[in-house]
Every structure is written in structure tokens, then in C-alpha cells.
Amino acid sequence: MKILVKNHFENATQALRANRGRTFLTIVGVAIGIASITMVLSLTGGFNHLFGDNSNQSSTPVAIVKSGNQKAVPNLLTESDNTTTVNTLTETDARDIGKIANTKAAPIAFLHAELRAREGKVDIQNAALIGSTESLKDVANLQIATGQFINDIGGVVVGQQLSVDLFGTERSIGNVIYIRNQPLTVVGVLKNIENQASYLDVNFNNAAIIPLSVIKKFTQGTPQIQQIIVTTKDHKNLNSVIKSADDILKKNHDSDKNYRIVSGEEINEKKSNVARFLSIILTVIGIISLLIGGIGVMNVMLVNVAERQREVGVRRAVGATGWDIINQFLIEAAIIGFLGGILGYGLGLAGAYIASLYLPLTPYIYWQTAVLSIGLSIIIGVISGVYPAARATRRDPIESLRY
């Protein structure tokens, strides 16, 4: 049996070498489909891994109180819920939640305004202006490169990239930023954050943070708080903290459930849904490409069968069974699928890493991805070779010898 399999393998490789150009193009067809699937799975894994860990960047558990009680619906046209949610949270809510034992709470109030300096300006599409309290430094794990963090007196803390964009330097302490013609002095610059993606929907490298008391001056005395970030010291206490926060909010809002409290995987549910939606679409495209590659394999095998009718006739005449003929052609198809899978997997990984240069994530490689990619290509190859192989055995051996 081993000798027979070895003989089939040698015959298959010889036949494929005899038509190198045709074989190579067929392998490339399979590789394109496998590369698409590999790239999608790797980038999706990196996306999920990034945001799955993002809400746990600190050593303490996190919960987020969000304005409005409507669950976010995945929308590819918006980056966050902040643009569509009615702001129902107040300073009192953040202050009362912060009084829970072993808990810190920081409100987040976004203000859409252009940031100007003498050296230049940054529009609202390229920078985030945030009103918050001193607690934000701890709950968001922010580190100061130079200067200090905000306090109730005033001042503004900027990200390193925003500092460079506005002042041309990372050392901008003492410089003045104008927000709606109101001057604010830079009192601190944040350390650069390598992982720019944030479960708070903020890129702190391009953010300006001012005290909540200051941002009220731009919103008629009432800060537009979109969310309150809550942290506690122990994961075991998170559920009890959430319950206490819920009780406080019910009391403050007269039992009007115009807020949501999310934690764990719920924090990044919208991003995960978008990633899942995109991965499904791209995977379908990859599967279609792979099926086209499979049709290419079938076409090549049909041509091989037509060109090798005399060879088939000779083998049948000397005692080869129909299964022997089928196995030989199936091995050829499997070899094409295997080589296409290896090439496609390599191209897919290369494509994923090239794409990651322009994305705030690193492809995450699962061993299952390699097994799935290569295994699927072999299966497609074998399935595509079944019909041509079966067709090779249908012709009468004597008639085949006339070719």
C-alpha cells in the first residue's frame, strides 16, 4: 500500500512539473482565496485582542456609566455614541458615585471646539477636547511626561502629538491654547501612548484635557457629560459597586432609567459587533475567491485528464483499477491545494502586517488559522479534483489507447 501511494505521489509530482506554468497559475488562484481569509482572520483577531484587553489596561476593574438608556447599534458611519446620545448625566452623579468605598469616578464631557495657538491650530476632527476631574489620571492610567495634571484651578493638559501639532514641540509647558478665544495655559503634557485605541473612544495623544469647572464656561454652566468612568480596587467588588452606582443614579434621576452601566465585554460591544460584521463580509469575499480558485483547479485537472487519456488507457490495460486512477488525480489536486494553502497563508500574514502599519493594532495569529487555511485549501483542491478524476475512469481503456 505504501509503495502504491508513493508511486501515485511520484506520478502526480511529475505530471505537475511537466506543466509548470499552468500548475503555478492554479496554485496562485487558490493562494489568493486563502490569503484573503488568513488576512481577515488575523486582523479580526488583532482587533478583538486589542479591545478585549483595552478595558483591562489598568490593574483595577472598570465600569462605564453612559448617558441615555438605548443600547448602541453598530454603525460604520460613526466612531462612538457621543454624537447621538442625549447627555443625561450630571456632576452630582459623578461626585456621588466617587463617594462609594474603594471607588474612583471621573466624568467625561466632550466639547467640540477648534484648538488654536500662535504657532497653529487643530480642528475638531483631529483633536479631542475633554472636560474632567483629577480622577481621570488614575481611572484612565494616564502618565505625565512633563508638568502636572489638571486641578480645579484651571490649566490644560495635552497629549504629545497635539503638543507637537500646536507648538512644534513636546515641551509646551507655559504655552497658551485658545478655545473659543478663551486662553488656557498648558500645565502638563501626557506621555505618549503606544496603543492609541481606547475603550473611552479617545486618542489621548491628540487630546486636550481641561477641568470640568472650566468646560462649564463654554456650555452655559452645565457640562455635557457623556460618560462616567468608574474603577474599584478589587474585581470581586465590581458588581457591588455597579449596584451601588445604580442605586445612586436611580435616586438622583427620580428612578428615570436614562443611563446605562456597562462593564467587561459590554464596554467594547459596539466595536466588536462592527469588527464581526466586517469580518463576515470580508470572509465571504475570501471564500468566493477560494471557490474561484477551486474552479481553476477543476479546469486544470480536466485539461490534464484530456491530455493524458493515453496514459490512463495504458495504466488500465496493465491492471490499474479505477480507484488507482482516481487516487492519482486526487493526489495531484491535493498537492495543488496544499501548495496554494502554504503560499496563501504566507501572503495573508504579510498582507495583515502591512495593513497593520496603517492601523492601531497588531495582527493576532492563532494556530487554528494556519490549520484552517491550509486544511481548507487541501479540501477545496480534493473536491475540485473529484469530477475530473472520476471522468478519467469512464472512458474505455481500448478507446483511450487510440489517443
Side-chain angles (χ1 to χ4, degrees), residues 91 128 130 132 165 203 228 249 258 334 345 353 391:
E91 285 184 272
I130 305 167
S132 191
D165 292 342
N203 177 2
I228 301 173
L249 292 170
N258 54 8
Y345 183 70
Y353 276 101
R391 187 174 178 178

Side-chain angles (χ1 to χ4, degrees), residues 235-254:
H235 285 271
K236 296 179 182 179
N237 297 332
L238 183 60
N239 289 334
S240 63
V241 168
I242 291 175
K243 184 178 183 306
S244 298
D246 190 43
D247 292 338
I248 290 171
L249 292 170
K250 283 180 180 177
K251 180 180 177 181
N252 291 351
H253 293 238
D254 295 325

Side-chain angles (χ1 to χ4, degrees), residues 72-108:
V73 178
N75 185 349
L76 299 180
L77 300 180
T78 59
E79 294 183 356
S80 68
D81 303 331
N82 299 325
T83 58
T84 58
T85 300
V86 176
N87 302 316
T88 57
L89 301 175
T90 66
E91 285 184 272
T92 302
D93 295 332
R95 186 166 51 250
D96 291 347
I97 292 174
K99 293 178 181 178
I100 300 173
N102 299 318
T103 298
K104 289 186 178 182
I108 298 288

Side-chain angles (χ1 to χ4, degrees), residues 171-248:
R171 299 182 177 275
S172 54
I173 302 296
N175 285 281
V176 176
I177 293 178
Y178 292 90
I179 302 171
R180 296 179 182 173
N181 295 322
Q182 296 295 317
L184 291 173
T185 303
V186 176
V187 297
V189 178
L190 298 175
K191 284 187 176 181
N192 188 62
I193 301 174
E194 293 295 332
N195 178 11
Q196 297 179 9
S198 169
Y199 63 93
L200 303 179
D201 286 328
V202 179
N203 177 2
F204 284 104
N205 292 335
N206 288 301
I209 305 170
I210 61 177
L212 201 64
S213 58
V214 174
I215 208 170
K216 288 195 296 183
K217 297 177 181 179
F218 303 102
T219 55
Q220 291 76 49
T222 303
Q224 302 297 308
I225 298 176
Q226 284 82 17
Q227 54 191 25
I228 301 173
I229 316 304
V230 183
T231 62
T232 185
K233 292 184 177 180
D234 194 337
H235 285 271
K236 296 179 182 179
N237 297 332
L238 183 60
N239 289 334
S240 63
V241 168
I242 291 175
K243 184 178 183 306
S244 298
D246 190 43
D247 292 338
I248 290 171

Side-chain angles (χ1 to χ4, degrees), residues 9 38 83 129 135 143 167 208 256 300:
F9 184 81
T38 301
T83 58
L129 179 57
S135 299
Q143 296 182 358
F167 306 107
D256 186 5
V300 167

Side-chain angles (χ1 to χ4, degrees), residues 370-387:
V371 173
L372 175 64
S373 299
I374 298 174
L376 188 60
S377 64
I378 294 175
I379 292 173
I380 290 293
V382 171
I383 292 176
S384 300
V386 169
Y387 173 69

